[in-house]
Amino acid sequence: MGDRMEDDQASGKKTKGRGHRDTTSVEDRYAGARFSELDPQAAAGPTKSVEGWVVFVTGIHEEAQEEDIHEAFAEFGEIKNIYLNLDRQTGFVKGYALIEYKDKKEAQTAMDSMNGQEILGQKVHVDWAFKKGAVKRGGRR
């Protein structure tokens, strides 16, 4: 997986890595693709992801397992998915998790009930993973 440096014949500049010879334009690459976007008319507050309502849990103990998180949050509703990222070097949990519920009410109940509670002796904080902020007007000049 070694990187190679090559000269760009036209400009004489050196390029490194993959993809620098890809001549496909962005318009061509994504032509016909369908992307979801947030409703611009929606009010500020939590926003549903493509598949469900996601809560963001921080302060998770580094030795926590997916089962520990599932056990703590399953009583509030059916969990569709748990994303528990690990540090590549240590193999321990990075300290946060994303938990996806089907219904907003379940996610809200989990958030209200678990925010400030302890999992494996460590206090966790729970909030919406996706939320639309208030529209900011003006700015600094």
Side-chain angles (χ1 to χ4, degrees):
M1 185 160 116
D3 289 326
R4 295 182 320 199
M5 291 190 74
E6 298 180 15
D7 289 321
D8 184 348
Q9 300 298 329
S11 66
K13 66 180 179 179
K14 292 189 183 238
T15 56
K16 183 177 179 181
R18 300 181 306 198
H20 62 274
R21 286 189 261 169
D22 186 4
T23 58
T24 308
S25 70
V26 173
E27 292 80 18
D28 291 338
R29 179 177 296 155
Y30 298 112
R34 294 178 42 193
F35 297 99
S36 298
E37 71 178 77
L38 298 177
D39 179 6
Q41 304 302 320
T47 303
K48 184 177 180 183
S49 74
V50 175
E51 296 181 8
W53 295 89
V54 182
V55 294
F56 186 61
V57 185
T58 58
I60 293 179
H61 193 279
E62 66 180 9
E63 294 182 4
Q65 300 289 316
E66 189 171 323
E67 295 82 31
D68 299 321
I69 306 304
H70 190 277
E71 187 177 296
F73 284 87
E75 67 181 89
F76 307 107
E78 180 184 347
I79 295 175
K80 291 179 66 177
N81 213 335
I82 296 177
Y83 301 94
L84 191 63
N85 292 336
L86 303 178
D87 185 291
R88 289 182 184 174
Q89 292 178 338
T90 65
F92 289 121
V93 173
K94 286 190 171 184
Y96 67 92
L98 295 155
I99 303 171
E100 184 177 347
Y101 289 93
K102 182 178 181 181
D103 297 320
K104 181 180 180 182
K105 185 178 179 181
E106 295 172 345
Q108 181 72 55
T109 303
M111 197 171 76
D112 293 341
S113 300
M114 290 301 295
N115 191 32
Q117 297 300 312
E118 288 189 3
I119 299 176
L120 297 178
Q122 197 159 314
K123 190 175 184 179
V124 295
H125 303 281
V126 187
D127 198 2
W128 293 109
F130 305 108
K131 56 186 171 182
K132 183 173 179 167
V135 177
K136 295 181 181 178
R137 305 232 181 246
R140 296 188 336 179
R141 294 178 193 205

